[in-house]
Amino acid sequence: MIDRQDLQQARDDLGRKLAALRRSRGLIQEALARQVHTTRSTLGMVERGR
């Protein structure tokens, strides 16, 4: 079973990777959010590991 600290680390890692991929493709959060049918705010929270 994964503990809370490991889960948060996984969320942080995923968020950093997502942000890096988004930036490498020249997208702003708003543009990517539209493409994946979510809000910029939600995407930002994911990128921050929340």
Side-chain angles (χ1 to χ4, degrees):
M1 185 147 172
I2 192 168
D3 67 27
R4 292 184 82 146
Q5 189 174 10
D6 289 340
L7 180 59
Q8 187 57 53
Q9 184 63 49
R11 287 177 177 157
D12 292 343
D13 291 345
L14 175 64
R16 279 191 293 275
K17 288 177 184 177
L18 177 61
L21 285 169
R22 174 183 56 77
R23 287 190 298 265
S24 75
R25 293 189 174 45
L27 294 171
I28 61 173
Q29 284 181 339
E30 186 175 340
L32 180 57
R34 278 194 309 266
Q35 289 181 16
V36 297
H37 306 285
T38 192
T39 65
R40 187 219 43 88
S41 177
T42 298
L43 183 61
M45 288 177 61
V46 171
E47 288 185 357
R48 289 190 306 276
R50 295 190 175 182

